[in-house]
Amino acid sequence: QIDKYLYAMRLSDETLIDIMARFRREMKNGLSRDFNPTAAVKMLPTFVRSIPDGSEKGDFIALDLGGSYFRILRVKVSHEKKQTVQMESEIYNTPEDIMHGSGTRLFDHVAECLGDFMEKQQIKDKKLPVGFTFSFPCRQSKLDEGILITWTKRFKASGVEGADVVRLLNRAIKKRGDYDADIMAVVNDTVGTMMTCGFDDQRCEVGLIIGTGTNACYMEEMRHIDLVEGDEGRMCINTEWGAFGDDGSLEDIRTEFDREIDRGSLNPGKQLFEKMVSGLYMGELVRLILVKMAKEGLLFEGRITPELLTKGKFETKHVSAIEKSKEGLNKAKEILTRLGVEPSHEDCIAVQHVCTIVSFRSANLVASTLGAILNQLRDNKGVGRLRTTVGVDGSLYKMHPQYARRLHKTTRRLVPDSEVRFLLSESGSGKGAAMVTAVAYRLLEQHRLIDETLAEFKLTHEQLLQVKKRMRAEMEAGLKKKTHETAKVKMLPTFVRSTPDGTENGDFLALDLGGTNFRVLLVKIRSGKRRTVEMHNKIYAIPIEVMQGTGEELFDHIVTCISDFLDYMGIKGARLPLGFTFSFPCKQTSLDAGILLNWTKGFKATDCEGEDVVYLLREGIKRREEFDLDVVAVVNDTVGTMMTCAYEDPNCEIGLIVGTGSNACYMEEMRNIEMVDGDQGRMCVNTEWGAFGDNGCLDDIRTIYDKAVDDYSLNAGKQRYEKMISGMYLGEIVRNILIDFTKRGFLFRGQISETLKTRHIFETKFLSQIERLALLQVRAILQQLGLNSTCDDSIIVKTVCGAVSRRAAQLCGAGMAAVVDKIRENRGLEHLEITVGSPSPAAIVSFHSFSRIMHQTVKDLAPNCDVTFLLSEDGSGKGAALITAVGCRLRDAEQ
């Protein structure tokens, strides 16, 4: 008879599977940006990104507010041999008038209890990190904020909905002024439960509460969470599934009793799923059914007493008692007698049956929504069989004699392809809140130390002005006869006395040696109305054994390449004028003689330093006895670049290279160049500024990482400025920082991989990519490098790259500011307009952020100069040809 009466409460597996599918759809809506605003199931991001990894430690306080009482815990996590947790807690009650009063009173009450607890623990003088378990739906944009969406269960304090509960609590604590607390995390009780269980079982990725209210959370893939930036890793989602059905999706299974409960609640129309399953409503559901059955004469011979008609008289704990297998019927008799209905034995059996139907329905409904979450996890992982753990807490689950067993059984029937372990959270959600706080605390501490380290890479305006001033002083020293010998910035005369005037004409060969590649070019320059430059070139590799072998081998290799090119172009017979771009520090005595001062950039060929490179090249051509060339000019690549740009823009009088290495040249007044006779006109000076700082004048801004890179380089102690700004070294600076951060446990879980120990693995192109890219792509780059990174790792790597390249750009800008201001003063101008030529593919100048920051720095430090940066497409080879053309023109004029 009762079965017939309550048949609407008995749900077939077919219906449960259907509910499972509906809930899965609701989850999807809640996660999507477009549907979330109207979704019933809010799927709130919690900003908890991982379960405890076992490295947490410290002394924490956890507050737990959300059910029938309010609990405060002190949790000490220590590491002796293994992680151990010590907990002490106090329970405070929350009177009804406070739950329904003003928000201010509620938080004053919480702050007062916290003060009492700290007093008892004698920790009022300490500022301990606090984790706040707040079991109501909150919107979060970070871990330490929780904006209450709506009160649920028995709470209804005014002025809290829409406010940040952390701010409210902080305000209440400040108002007292007798202790200080650092609230680091707001945690939903489901998340706390998942974390508590996750501490004991690393597989735990679902938290479930079935108590006064009901809710669940689980670890979702970031790529599915539209509401949070980034696709990396996972984040715990608080489903707030109590509101499932608020949009009408459960109407077909709600009964008249469910509707009646809702009408009499504090929040009609809200939390409809919760009202069908949770402990706050279960006793009341049974009471409503008993009243109706009695009215129809199906129970108690139709007797209805005032007690039976009183809301809240039949409690969920009574349901639990009546369903006990042995003494259940006796309990039923006791409880019903207290309600004054004088039950018969049949009545007791019938009431027990009603209780079973109501509580079984609850377990079945929870099994279907939980089943939807398990299916989502399984699909996310792309596995056939899911092995996972569900952490569970809540009075109904714990106290009801049959509930847990029924829930487990139905869940396993609905999702047969999952191995689910249910783990009862012994210590509630408080320990979990402390764990979340511990993780947050660890990360915060880590960020503080990281920021502290990277602060050394942040240069102030004052520091940059100092760099400009010192560069200027070093330039003066290099130009003067008496200090030139000891000067580090060599300021080498290039014997290039003018930029192209447009009358250059003819066919020229150009060689370009300066890195791992060697280029030979044929440049056809035509003057006249339509000036044209036609270029043909071929690139040859220089093997490392040649770079570091003997000088003869190196120049023989170069001549072999030239020979191949002349064959390739079919011009072996012609004796063409040749310009030799040679990108190493040279002391020139004329346009066609350059004595190599010292190799840089990884070159080490013997018997070259101190020799004239043009002589070495001519000797190599003689040894070959195949062709003859007229070597007209030896040119530094910086000068070549300036000339190439000057051909397009006559205003270009500075060349800048920031690529593998770094250097600058500019047109200086002859009267200032004491190393060359004559005071008339100008000459291009190759600063060789890479060596700036070799006398120690930059030591105050060099970091331990710069020193490490320098110590391990081929030319320790030399080219210090270059090592702080150029492509060959930036990646190494980054690598050294990453190693240090890994040793300190901030990165890659403290594991230094072989890759990370490999020098030059971080090519500078990676830096520019990493700075620009989204985290997912950064992670892919790191993976290519054999570095398994988490989302947090990728963020840190990105920050490091940004700090290093930003400093490089600023230092480069400070050097350039010194150069443009010197030119302005040379010419006695208030205001200078000038163009700087740079090679376009130069690894770094083309970094978007690098050039932006460099330009800005020049502007800030040399406000009276209007500097334009021109990128030359053709590099320094074309420039060498132009210099050769200008040289031929001037030579012809003299003759």
Side-chain angles (χ1 to χ4, degrees):
Q1 206 175 0
I2 294 170
D3 286 351
K4 204 161 122 201
Y5 197 76
L6 291 180
Y7 83 99
M9 283 201 166
R10 312 207 71 158
L11 306 171
S12 67
D13 276 6
E14 203 179 342
T15 307
L16 294 176
I17 286 166
D18 182 37
I19 292 169
M20 196 154 74
R22 289 184 214 180
F23 186 65
R24 187 91 186 262
R25 276 197 299 276
E26 292 290 329
M27 285 166 67
K28 206 171 161 200
N29 288 343
L31 288 172
S32 102
R33 183 177 287 115
D34 302 338
F35 294 107
N36 176 280
T38 54
V41 179
K42 282 294 175 217
M43 303 295 280
L44 304 166
T46 64
F47 294 85
V48 170
R49 294 169 190 270
S50 65
I51 50 179
D53 68 356
S55 65
E56 296 73 24
K57 52 178 184 288
D59 195 350
F60 306 96
I61 286 179
L63 307 179
D64 188 347
L65 177 71
S68 14
Y69 54 81
F70 167 49
R71 205 165 73 140
I72 305 183
L73 306 89
R74 181 178 182 188
V75 183
K76 285 186 205 157
V77 191
S78 64
H79 271 272
E80 289 319 314
K81 291 195 179 50
K82 63 187 221 336
Q83 213 174 19
T84 52
V85 182
Q86 243 187 308
M87 302 203 301
E88 299 169 66
S89 69
E90 289 272 333
I91 288 183
Y92 296 88
N93 91 21
T94 313
E96 195 85 8
D97 60 314
I98 286 186
M99 293 203 284
H100 297 169
S102 74
T104 313
R105 266 190 72 201
L106 174 64
F107 284 97
D108 286 348
H109 171 69
V110 172
E112 186 184 339
C113 297
L114 182 55
D116 172 78
F117 180 79
M118 290 174 84
E119 185 86 48
K120 285 183 179 149
Q121 289 280 331
Q122 300 171 330
I123 46 175
K124 266 196 158 160
D125 54 336
K126 287 191 182 157
K127 186 176 181 182
L128 293 186
V130 177
F132 185 13
T133 302
F134 186 69
S135 321
F136 301 95
C138 283
R139 259 192 213 297
Q140 293 184 265
S141 67
K142 49 184 196 279
L143 195 55
D144 59 353
E145 150 197 280
I147 303 203
L148 177 64
I149 296 174
T150 157
W151 284 116
T152 57
K153 294 168 288 200
R154 292 202 186 81
F155 280 73
K156 204 68 179 159
S158 60
V160 185
E161 293 181 345
D164 176 6
V165 296
V166 176
R167 284 195 39 206
L168 296 176
L169 180 52
N170 273 329
R171 198 184 303 155
I173 292 172
K174 247 197 194 71
K175 197 159 68 182
R176 292 176 60 83
D178 59 341
Y179 65 89
D180 207 356
D182 185 9
I183 301 165
M184 295 194 69
V186 184
V187 181
N188 183 275
D189 55 342
T190 48
V191 182
T193 299
M194 181 185 81
M195 294 297 270
T196 300
C197 294
F199 184 75
D200 301 319
D201 179 345
Q202 290 276 307
R203 264 217 186 82
C204 183
E205 42 193 355
V206 182
L208 171 63
I209 301 265
I210 315 162
T212 315
T214 181
N215 192 9
C217 69
Y218 71 102
M219 296 302 291
E220 177 59 272
E221 302 293 317
M222 280 290 288
R223 62 175 190 271
H224 294 155
I225 307 173
D226 283 359
L227 300 170
V228 182
E229 276 303 298
D231 286 338
E232 287 299 316
R234 307 201 296 168
M235 183 182 284
C236 181
I237 288 288
N238 164 18
T239 62
E240 285 299 337
W241 78 13
F244 178 31
D246 289 8
D247 56 358
S249 59
L250 292 177
E251 285 314 298
D252 55 331
I253 62 164
R254 287 176 72 229
T255 64
E256 52 180 303
F257 308 110
D258 296 308
R259 297 180 210 286
E260 196 170 340
I261 284 260
D262 181 43
R263 282 197 295 274
S265 67
L266 281 171
N267 52 351
K270 299 237 166 38
Q271 302 291 104
L272 298 184
F273 179 72
E274 181 168 78
K275 285 170 187 166
M276 294 167 80
V277 302
S278 83
L280 186 55
Y281 308 100
M282 190 174 283
E284 188 58 14
L285 265 175
V286 172
R287 185 186 70 81
L288 293 174
I289 295 169
L290 298 184
V291 168
K292 180 161 187 205
M293 289 176 73
K295 278 185 177 162
E296 297 185 10
L298 296 171
L299 278 179
F300 320 133
E301 296 171 359
R303 279 188 298 282
I304 295 174
T305 63
E307 288 85 351
L308 188 58
L309 289 173
T310 308
K311 184 176 173 183
K313 268 291 186 203
F314 198 96
E315 296 174 51
T316 300
K317 64 179 184 197
H318 298 150
V319 178
S320 294
I322 291 171
E323 282 196 67
K324 284 196 172 140
S325 45
K326 295 221 168 48
E327 68 262 41
L329 289 174
N330 294 336
K331 288 283 181 202
K333 195 168 177 73
E334 245 172 74
I335 290 159
L336 293 169
T337 305
R338 266 193 310 227
L339 292 174
V341 292
E342 303 165 26
S344 66
H345 185 61
E346 280 67 34
D347 287 338
C348 293
I349 292 175
V351 170
Q352 192 179 44
H353 199 48
V354 171
C355 289
T356 302
I357 288 173
V358 171
S359 69
F360 215 133
R361 178 182 73 154
S362 164
N364 281 339
L365 285 170
V366 171
S368 52
T369 45
L370 177 61
I373 289 178
L374 295 172
N375 282 334
Q376 175 89 348
L377 283 173
R378 193 194 58 219
D379 292 353
N380 283 350
K381 293 185 180 180
V383 292
R385 208 172 162 69
L386 175 74
R387 278 189 70 184
T388 191
T389 299
V390 178
V392 201
D393 197 4
S395 47
L396 184 57
Y397 182 87
K398 281 183 179 164
M399 302 306 187
H400 189 289
Q402 322 287 341
Y403 197 93
R405 193 179 47 77
R406 291 173 187 159
L407 172 68
H408 303 171
K409 211 169 152 185
T410 310
T411 304
R412 290 179 178 131
R413 206 169 61 241
L414 294 178
V415 274
D417 41 13
S418 295
E419 263 173 72
V420 189
R421 176 180 181 214
F422 287 88
L423 189 58
L424 184 61
S425 157
E426 291 303 337
S427 38
S429 47
K431 175 164 137 191
M435 287 300 146
V436 175
T437 309
V439 173
Y441 188 70
R442 186 182 82 214
L443 291 175
L444 194 77
E445 190 56 15
Q446 185 172 305
H447 283 292
R448 195 180 61 73
L449 293 166
I450 287 171
D451 290 345
E452 209 172 88
T453 303
L454 294 182
E456 293 185 62
F457 287 87
K458 292 197 170 73
L459 301 175
T460 62
H461 184 70
E462 270 46 61
Q463 285 174 306
L464 290 167
L465 272 174
Q466 270 303 311
V467 172
K468 174 189 169 188
K469 200 168 114 192
R470 293 172 200 166
M471 175 67 91
R472 177 68 186 266
E474 295 293 304
M475 286 167 67
E476 301 288 358
L479 287 169
K480 298 223 177 335
K481 224 184 199 120
K482 63 174 196 294
T483 46
H484 178 82
E485 271 316 302
T486 54
K488 292 298 181 188
V489 176
K490 281 293 176 213
M491 305 296 286
L492 305 167
T494 64
F495 295 86
V496 170
R497 294 168 189 269
S498 87
T499 50
D501 65 359
T503 63
E504 295 75 20
N505 201 33
D507 292 1
F508 306 90
L509 268 187
L511 309 181
D512 188 347
L513 176 72
T516 43
N517 289 331
F518 166 61
R519 283 207 305 167
V520 187
L521 306 93
L522 172 65
V523 184
K524 300 183 172 187
I525 302 175
R526 299 291 175 263
S527 58
K529 277 206 185 68
R530 289 190 57 249
R531 298 186 310 170
T532 60
V533 177
E534 183 189 322
M535 300 206 303
H536 304 270
N537 75 63
K538 203 166 170 189
I539 293 179
Y540 302 88
I542 297 188
I544 191 132
E545 57 274 14
V546 175
M547 283 166 71
Q548 303 184 358
T550 68
E552 266 195 14
E553 287 168 347
L554 177 61
F555 280 92
D556 284 345
H557 179 75
I558 289 171
V559 172
T560 307
C561 297
I562 298 173
S563 168
D564 174 83
F565 182 76
L566 296 175
D567 283 337
Y568 169 71
M569 295 299 296
I571 48 173
K572 211 160 218 171
R575 181 173 186 266
L576 292 173
L578 175 138
F580 184 9
T581 303
F582 186 74
S583 318
F584 301 94
C586 272
K587 185 166 187 163
Q588 286 183 250
T589 47
S590 65
L591 190 59
D592 65 347
I595 290 153
L596 172 64
L597 296 176
N598 56 284
W599 284 120
T600 55
K601 292 182 285 201
F603 275 75
K604 271 281 194 235
T606 55
D607 311 319
C608 296
E609 293 182 354
E611 299 294 326
D612 173 6
V613 295
V614 176
Y615 171 75
L616 296 176
L617 178 61
R618 285 176 179 149
E619 286 302 296
I621 294 173
K622 269 189 203 148
R623 278 196 299 276
R624 182 97 189 179
E625 295 183 332
E626 258 189 42
F627 54 86
D628 195 18
L629 295 170
D630 170 20
V631 186
V632 175
V634 60
V635 181
N636 181 277
D637 55 342
T638 328
V639 184
T641 296
M642 179 186 82
M643 293 298 268
T644 304
C645 291
Y647 193 65
E648 296 167 40
D649 175 354
N651 218 10
C652 176
E653 299 185 76
I654 302 175
L656 165 69
I657 288 193
V658 197
T660 316
S662 178
N663 195 8
C665 68
Y666 69 103
M667 297 303 289
E668 177 57 274
E669 307 302 311
M670 278 294 291
R671 63 174 188 272
N672 294 336
I673 308 173
E674 295 183 4
M675 306 303 294
V676 180
D677 294 340
D679 281 349
Q680 288 314 301
R682 296 177 184 152
M683 182 183 284
C684 179
V685 168
N686 165 18
T687 63
E688 285 298 336
W689 79 4
F692 174 40
D694 288 5
N695 58 0
C697 68
L698 293 178
D699 285 2
D700 56 334
I701 60 169
R702 287 172 77 227
T703 64
I704 52 170
Y705 308 106
D706 295 303
K707 296 188 180 85
V709 168
D710 183 29
D711 291 345
Y712 284 106
S713 63
L714 282 170
N715 52 351
K718 299 213 161 59
Q719 304 289 104
R720 288 181 179 174
Y721 179 60
E722 176 170 86
K723 284 172 188 164
M724 294 169 83
I725 66 176
S726 84
M728 189 160 168
Y729 304 101
L730 292 190
E732 273 303 278
I733 298 175
V734 168
R735 190 180 66 87
N736 277 284
I737 298 174
L738 298 187
I739 285 183
D740 180 41
F741 281 5
T742 309
K743 280 184 184 153
R744 289 158 69 184
F746 305 160
L747 270 177
F748 309 131
R749 297 174 200 72
Q751 306 294 308
I752 298 183
S753 64
E754 282 309 307
T755 321
L756 208 47
K757 292 182 194 154
T758 316
R759 298 189 37 222
H760 300 300
I761 138 140
F762 254 99
E763 294 169 51
T764 302
K765 63 168 191 220
F766 289 140
L767 261 101
S768 64
Q769 289 172 343
I770 284 173
E771 253 198 299
R772 277 202 315 270
L773 295 175
L775 284 180
L776 197 60
Q777 296 156 300
V778 172
R779 198 169 168 188
I781 289 181
L782 294 174
Q783 251 143 10
Q784 278 168 10
L785 297 179
L787 300 169
N788 254 326
S789 72
T790 62
C791 174
D792 290 326
D793 291 341
S794 308
I795 292 171
I796 294 171
V797 171
K798 200 167 168 164
T799 314
V800 170
C801 291
V804 171
S805 77
R806 182 183 175 79
R807 182 190 67 161
Q810 288 180 316
L811 285 172
C812 187
M816 191 40 70
V819 173
V820 294
D821 254 346
K822 180 164 198 328
I823 295 176
R824 186 179 62 80
E825 287 169 31
N826 281 347
R827 301 181 187 180
L829 297 171
E830 272 296 298
H831 188 86
L832 171 74
E833 283 190 23
I834 196 159
T835 300
V836 177
S838 276
S840 158
I844 304 203
V845 180
S846 58
F847 273 21
H848 167 64
S849 65
F850 189 98
S851 45
R852 190 187 69 237
I853 293 163
M854 177 177 73
H855 298 175
Q856 190 54 50
T857 309
V858 176
K859 214 181 197 150
D860 294 345
L861 300 181
N864 297 333
C865 301
D866 190 359
V867 184
T868 309
F869 285 84
L870 178 64
L871 292 182
S872 102
E873 291 305 319
D874 307 317
S876 47
K878 174 170 160 185
L882 285 164
I883 292 170
T884 306
V886 172
C888 290
R889 193 183 79 211
L890 296 177
R891 192 171 62 183
D892 296 348
E894 277 169 25
Q895 286 166 1

